[in-house]
Amino acid sequence: MAAVELGFDTLRWQEDCLVLLDQTRLPREERYLPIPDVPALVDAILRLVVRGAPALGCAGAYGVVTAVGDAAERQEWLQRLEAGATALRAARPTAVNLAVGVDRIAALGRRLADEGQGRPADWTARLLESARAFHAEDAALCRAIGHHGAELLPETCTVLTHCNAGALATGGIGTALGVVYAAHAAGKRVAVIADETRPLLQGARLTAWELQRAGVPVRLQCDGAAGSAFQAGLVDAVVVGADRVAANGDVAKKIGTIPLAQLAREFGVPFYVAAPSTTVDLGCPDGRSIPVEQRGADEVRGYAGAVAAPDGVEARNPAFDVTPAALVTGLITERGVLASPGAASLAAHCAAASSG
Ligand code: MRU
């Protein structure tokens, strides 16, 4: 299979600094934003400069390195580590990968400081090594998901996706779009219908941009057009990513995903969720215990500074919804495809994932 090469870095560590591709400026402008400190990273996460669960995990991992910075004394190093980890973890609540990335590096930091060997500068170097490894691991998870998911797709097909679960949302080629890229690279004729994904248009701005660059045929539709696409028989499979998968298989994902799962069931189309095991939270028993981020009303009242709604109108803006496990045809992880995920099968699947 040909390697998938997209030609941009969603995030990278460059000259002692985390650098992010500023997704708020895409698709018009490809600009990289250096992140000098934790407040700058928290701001970037809140504004969705960097977004998508696995990419948030990688950014959080590098963020802990940013937090300790050049602290040369143990107490200060530890204090910066804890304050930074707390602020980063809290920046966005739904995507569990953010906490996973932060916790992985912070735990190593605590251990190094406890052991007390070497100097804080040596510990910082170890944290950076570990954050880089976490990032590389995420890229490998995406490749494996792509490989397993591509096998599910017919030789010629149209995939419906929502939001952006591509390279821009991960440290690699993406999860849902990783499946599409892998199928495309394997010679399958895959086309994509991308929902625009109101209110922040990740589908229109990001998914359409990266699929176009990759040479994958993509057609954009407004979110409300999904029903007509199923009715017209245009959709062969739905493939979406996830922000958190609960222990019973319920899936938190960008607002507007539940209707797609229901439509897929109604029209007999498979509904696949592509996510690495780092997105599975066995500590969350079911979807009701997943915290759903509520964002500002202005995002719904208008877009990019242009206000569409009447002044003062109230708006609700939950950033995610939770699709019940019963509507999921299969969960595609780095380990393979888990059909109809449920509590027991998901626990076993994850145990297999963590044991290699
Ligand atoms: O609010 P966002 O843009 O961070 O939401 C992201 C998504 O819904 C993604 O599709 C999800 O994190 C999966 S990313 C591989």
Side-chain angles (χ1 to χ4, degrees), residues 17-142:
C17 184
L18 173 61
V19 176
L20 303 174
L21 174 56
D22 185 347
Q23 298 190 30
T24 65
R25 293 175 180 272
L26 290 173
R28 303 276 162 251
E29 208 184 338
E30 220 173 303
R31 193 184 294 184
Y32 285 86
L33 185 69
I35 300 294
D37 53 28
V38 170
L41 181 53
V42 169
D43 176 66
I45 291 172
L46 290 172
R47 291 191 302 112
L48 312 197
V49 168
V50 62
R51 41 138 314 271
L56 287 170
C58 298
Y62 287 124
V64 177
V65 184
T66 306
V68 294
D70 58 0
E73 187 270 320
R74 180 181 184 279
Q75 205 51 38
E76 189 197 354
W77 193 90
L78 259 180
Q79 189 270 328
R80 285 198 199 178
L81 178 113
E82 296 301 350
T86 304
L88 288 166
R89 252 177 150 274
R92 290 192 78 192
T94 305
V96 71
N97 303 61
L98 175 57
V100 169
V102 168
D103 290 350
R104 168 92 67 98
I105 310 305
L108 172 64
R110 288 182 203 111
R111 210 177 67 230
L112 292 170
D114 272 359
E115 289 167 2
Q117 314 243 319
R119 292 165 305 127
D122 306 323
W123 309 340
T124 305
R126 288 280 301 280
L127 297 194
L128 177 57
E129 210 175 285
S130 185
R132 283 196 155 121
F134 185 83
H135 187 173
E137 219 175 272
D138 191 58
L141 297 178
C142 290

Side-chain angles (χ1 to χ4, degrees), residues 48 51-54 92 163-165 169-170 175 202 241-243 253-254 320:
L48 312 197
R51 41 138 314 271
R92 290 192 78 192
C163 193
N164 172 268
T170 66
T175 54
Q202 290 93 331
D243 289 82
K253 159 78 183 158
K254 179 54 60 189
F320 302 96

